[in-house]
Amino acid sequence: MAIIEEPLALDSGQAVVAERPLGVLTRPQAGNGWRDWLSSVDHKRIGIMYGVAAMFFFLVGGFEALLIRTQLAFPEQGFLSPQLYNEIYTMHGITMVFLFIMPLAAAFANYLIPLQIGARDVAFPRLNALSFWVWLSGAVFLNSTWLVGGGGADCGWFCYSPNSGVTFSPSHGVDFYAIGLLIAGIASLVSSVNLIVTVLNMRAPGMTLFRMPVLTWMLLVTQFLLAFALPVITVALFLLLFDRVFDSQFFDPEAGADPLLWQHLFWIFGHPEVYIIILPSFGIISEIIPTFSRKPIFGYSFMVFSGIAIGFMGWGVWAHHMFVSGIGPISVLAFSLSTMFIAVPTGVKILNWLATMWGGKLKFTTAMLFAVGTVAMFTIGGLSGVTHALAPADTQQTDTYYIVAHFHYVIFGGGVMGLMAGSYFWWPKIFGHMLNETRGKIHFWISMVGLNLTFGPMHVLGLQGMSRRIDTYSEGFGFAFWNLMATIGSYIIAVSVAYFIYNALRSRKEARDLPNPGPDPWDARSLEWMVPSPTPEHNFDVIPTVESQDEWWHRKYGFDEDHNVIRIATVEEAAQKGDAEGVHLPSPSFWPLVLAVGMPLIGYGIIFNLWLCVLGGLLTGGAIYAWALEPVDDPDAGHGHGDGHDDHSDPDDAPDDDGDAVAAGADDSAGDA
Ligand code: HEM
Ligand SMILES: [Cu+2]
């Protein structure tokens, strides 16, 4: 009988070895029914669920954007009342940032990090499931304000006080904002810790930190930003909630409090937040551009260190959002300088992407088009960002459509386009079929036209003096033409999103008559392309041993004596085959979902009736208790043999030729927190 020795538990800190029967998995393969998805703790399924939910909220936020643009298409329109207009742009901003772009990046992080580092799952799979369900319950709670809260939050996505107090925002909209973001924040915080531990602890033998793909590095920096930024906004939201629900006076100027405290707290979180949004896209295109330039990334270390530098410097610029809030000339000068400095590491990245393409054999697949589009559009946004750093210029630009143009070029042009590039690139790995390339290219060009026609004119409107957050404007101000162009552009973006969904559904249908694209349809560079498409539940038959950066590429290609690139192995030969028997994977569980359902109940209780808090508390507490006692299907799990094998493999201890480092595999049966 074949015996495989495998570490069972990570978070107990004590590796336990158990003997396993034959067969790939020690438990039944997960089915595809709704119960299998609701109880799944598989990082790939959690990634897919993040992706689908995020795309749904993209449609919600996109619909809100179309309402805004329809109102502003012509002067003096009354299509939306001023109050409803305030609610819609506020909810648009919140939905797009917290319920679309952050979870879509989380989709890629969850699906790809374990694969790129050579692991079978994240460190704490059930905790990972919890993050998803808690985030989703927070998202649903937040949007339920339209039904039971008397309308959406109406104080803008950064909800400055005293605007956000009960005096100026009497409906429950802002209560839903505060509690909804608190719940979603818990999810992101837990997920960030999980992914940090995964990257630092679960790497395959030989996968040293500086052999990791740039994407994994950028996602690691993003998780650290989340781990440090979320506590700041959490404190601010609690203070806001206490002021609104329990009459405290943290932001009440009449009680001697300083409303600027909210601005400082919000932007100490809010500026790192913009890097939390953009770094995943930077990482994604750093995988795509080398693949379709047929060259390794230019300046790998510079790419990694510039990302780390952005991660650190991003904490020292927050008050550039407050140049006209009365923070005083010294602060304005200091934050103006620090903001200019942060352009340097960002510029390094742009130059390295261009240098990677320079002299390469460029292949313009849809993924590559979106990646190049990301570089171009982000650069436009970055340049207007530099103009904001100049405080005197910002005094003119702040709170105008020039700012709205800037952050949409950065977030949509950089963030969304980058994530779209990633969708086309990893679609075959995730779903086992390609997205149609012809339709993909049409999707790309419609997006580019829509994006530039929507947000380009906003630069002009802003410099003409059009303020943001106004529900209408007068005929005589000269804003009509560019507003109409921007509205036409936003409808073109809507067409591009509908066309993407059409391409996804149509490609899935056509795939039935097409051959499987195989493990490596793009001839790419990192480990995820070594496994079949779609990725099997256990990821790797055998945990790979890594000997270089771009490990997968180096298994397929070598150099002849003249240093020309030569193929040395086919995909089949290069893939580290082995008898995948007795792979132990974490068992499904419903408790993360049950626990997550308790949280919004507590939220409704705080707003409407404290008995609901009791019910929610019982559900959450009960789920935690049941989860801790949940019997695992593995009789051996937890009853370790305690043989002193106290460490799963140390990736930095690159394997010597007898390969005795046992590969790290995710395991939660015993002690998943
Ligand atoms: C899909 C195309 C989109 C269109 C047409 C659009 C349009 C707009 C417009 C016109 C405003 C200004 C509203 C005003 O000041 O009165 C706005 C605000 C905003 N948008 Fe978008 N947007 C889009 C996508 C996005 C995306 C993808 C994100 C982020 C991921 C985003 C985040 C924001 C934020 C944070 C605000 C500020 C809201 C506030 O002032 O409180 N938007 N959007
Ligand atoms: Cu900022």
Side-chain angles (χ1 to χ4, degrees):
M1 174 154 97
I3 301 286
I4 295 279
E5 292 199 357
E6 187 117 2
L8 262 184
L10 178 80
D11 49 351
S12 63
Q14 176 71 22
V16 195
V17 177
E19 296 176 2
R20 297 279 166 257
L22 269 176
V24 170
L25 300 186
T26 60
R27 62 160 174 73
Q29 287 269 358
N32 223 1
W34 60 269
R35 293 170 62 91
D36 301 297
W37 282 87
L38 290 188
S39 63
S40 178
V41 297
D42 176 349
H43 72 101
K44 299 177 291 298
R45 288 196 165 188
I46 292 168
I48 292 171
M49 291 194 280
Y50 266 120
V52 172
M55 283 308 287
F56 168 75
F57 285 111
F58 185 37
L59 299 179
V60 173
F63 175 65
E64 288 158 347
L66 287 183
L67 290 176
I68 296 170
R69 287 304 336 155
T70 307
Q71 169 86 355
L72 297 170
F74 303 102
E76 292 161 23
Q77 284 229 89
F79 166 58
L80 302 170
S81 71
Q83 173 59 28
L84 185 55
Y85 184 86
N86 287 346
E87 292 173 21
I88 286 174
Y89 74 67
T90 303
M91 294 300 281
H92 161 77
I94 298 164
T95 303
M96 284 297 200
V97 169
F98 295 101
L99 310 185
F100 161 58
I101 205 159
M102 285 172 76
L104 190 56
F108 285 98
N110 271 282
Y111 196 98
L112 292 170
I113 286 182
L115 285 169
Q116 292 213 323
I117 64 172
R120 288 221 159 85
D121 209 310
V122 297
F124 310 115
R126 279 178 233 205
L127 207 61
N128 205 23
L130 178 76
S131 302
F132 171 71
W133 293 116
V134 169
W135 166 77
L136 188 63
S137 72
V140 172
F141 175 85
L142 187 61
N143 274 283
S144 70
T145 186
W146 290 114
L147 302 173
V148 294
D154 57 358
C155 45
W157 85 285
F158 43 73
C159 260
Y160 279 1
S161 66
N163 242 359
S164 52
V166 282
T167 315
F168 302 106
S169 291
S171 83
H172 286 304
V174 179
D175 302 325
F176 277 84
Y177 163 88
I179 298 171
L181 291 187
L182 280 169
I183 297 174
I186 293 168
S188 297
L189 197 60
V190 168
S191 169
S192 67
V193 172
N194 202 345
L195 293 173
I196 289 170
V197 174
T198 302
V199 173
L200 298 182
N201 257 353
M202 310 286 288
R203 282 167 286 129
M207 179 59 88
T208 57
L209 287 174
F210 281 87
R211 286 179 180 162
M212 294 196 308
V214 175
L215 172 62
T216 296
W217 261 112
M218 292 308 110
L219 292 171
L220 179 65
V221 175
T222 306
Q223 305 316 317
F224 273 107
L225 287 174
L226 280 164
F228 287 108
L230 286 164
V232 181
I233 189 73
T234 301
V235 169
L237 290 168
F238 267 117
L239 299 182
L240 172 65
L241 195 62
F242 274 56
D243 272 18
R244 291 184 57 88
V245 177
F246 305 112
D247 261 344
S248 60
Q249 293 141 334
F250 291 109
F251 302 117
D252 183 357
E254 276 154 26
D258 183 349
L260 273 191
L261 170 65
W262 170 269
Q263 296 193 25
H264 282 295
L265 289 174
F266 185 90
W267 290 118
I268 289 172
F269 151 80
H271 191 85
E273 170 68 12
V274 303
Y275 294 116
I276 289 166
I277 288 173
I278 201 67
L279 284 175
S281 290
F282 282 179
I284 285 172
I285 65 172
S286 300
E287 301 298 316
I288 294 173
I289 290 176
T291 301
F292 298 115
S293 303
R294 323 293 306 148
K295 279 176 57 180
I297 190 91
F298 181 88
Y300 171 88
S301 313
F302 271 85
M303 263 303 190
V304 171
F305 282 115
S306 59
I308 295 171
I310 288 173
F312 278 104
M313 293 163 80
W315 293 96
V317 297
W318 79 87
H320 66 212
H321 296 271
M322 300 162 65
F323 278 161
V324 296
S325 302
I327 56 173
I330 305 296
S331 307
V332 167
L333 178 64
F335 282 96
S336 180
L337 279 175
S338 63
T339 305
M340 288 182 200
F341 285 145
I342 211 166
V344 176
T346 317
V348 165
K349 284 189 175 297
I350 294 170
L351 291 175
N352 280 22
W353 289 316
L354 298 177
T356 305
M357 287 190 263
W358 187 264
K361 286 199 202 88
L362 305 185
K363 190 173 172 207
F364 285 101
T365 59
T366 308
M368 184 62 166
L369 283 174
F370 270 104
V372 175
T374 302
V375 177
M377 295 301 108
F378 176 80
T379 305
I380 295 175
L383 291 173
S384 60
V386 174
T387 65
H388 300 330
L390 301 168
D394 185 64
T395 310
Q396 156 73 23
Q397 294 155 189
T398 195
D399 280 340
T400 72
Y401 262 87
Y402 188 86
I403 297 279
V404 177
H406 159 70
F407 67 71
H408 281 95
Y409 263 93
V410 175
I411 297 182
F412 198 104
V416 178
M417 295 289 274
L419 293 165
M420 276 302 153
S423 304
Y424 279 90
F425 190 57
W426 280 288
W427 202 274
K429 184 55 59 187
I430 299 170
F431 299 108
H433 63 266
M434 308 275 270
L435 281 172
N436 179 285
E437 274 290 298
T438 312
R439 290 192 293 266
K441 290 179 179 140
I442 295 171
H443 170 215
F444 169 74
W445 288 113
I446 302 176
S447 310
M448 283 296 275
V449 171
L451 161 65
N452 286 292
L453 190 56
T454 307
F455 305 117
M458 290 180 184
H459 290 100
V460 182
L461 288 168
L463 294 176
Q464 285 179 332
M466 183 178 175
S467 298
R468 62 189 287 193
R469 295 177 168 177
I470 52 169
D471 65 305
T472 186
Y473 50 92
S474 305
E475 182 81 47
F477 280 7
F479 298 157
F481 173 74
W482 288 119
N483 266 298
L484 182 58
M485 288 308 110
T487 300
I488 294 171
S490 66
Y491 276 89
I492 295 175
I493 293 178
V495 170
S496 76
V497 176
Y499 194 70
F500 172 66
I501 295 169
Y502 165 71
N503 190 13
L505 297 173
R506 187 78 191 275
S507 301
R508 182 188 152 100
K509 200 154 165 269
E510 288 165 356
R512 293 189 203 123
D513 313 321
L514 293 169
N516 178 290
D520 188 19
W522 311 117
D523 196 11
R525 313 180 74 88
S526 42
L527 289 179
E528 71 271 27
W529 302 105
M530 185 166 101
V531 301
S533 305
T535 314
E537 193 173 352
H538 61 287
N539 290 4
F540 301 93
D541 288 349
V542 176
I543 298 293
T545 308
V546 174
E547 290 165 4
S548 67
Q549 252 169 51
D550 289 342
E551 171 67 17
W552 174 236
W553 190 86
H554 285 283
R555 285 177 183 229
K556 298 179 290 178
Y557 293 95
F559 300 93
D560 65 15
E561 54 283 352
D562 307 323
H563 212 67
N564 298 320
V565 173
I566 51 167
R567 183 100 194 190
I568 58 172
T570 62
V571 167
E572 287 61 41
E573 290 158 355
Q576 192 162 350
K577 281 270 170 286
D579 49 3
E581 288 189 10
V583 172
H584 180 78
L585 284 179
S587 342
S589 170
F590 279 100
W591 293 119
L593 172 62
V594 176
L595 198 160
V597 172
M599 294 193 168
L601 276 179
I602 297 171
Y604 289 120
I606 291 170
I607 297 172
F608 297 116
N609 183 325
L610 285 178
W611 281 110
L612 283 173
C613 286
V614 176
L615 184 64
L618 285 174
L619 204 59
T620 302
I624 291 172
Y625 190 69
W627 175 343
L629 299 180
E630 184 170 38
V632 290
D633 64 350
D634 182 302
D636 293 344
H639 317 303
H641 301 265
D643 62 356
H645 184 288
D646 62 356
D647 184 52
H648 51 78
S649 62
D650 177 352
D652 302 318
D653 166 12
D656 51 36
D657 52 13
D658 66 3
D660 59 10
V662 177
D667 238 328
D668 75 321
S669 53
D672 179 22

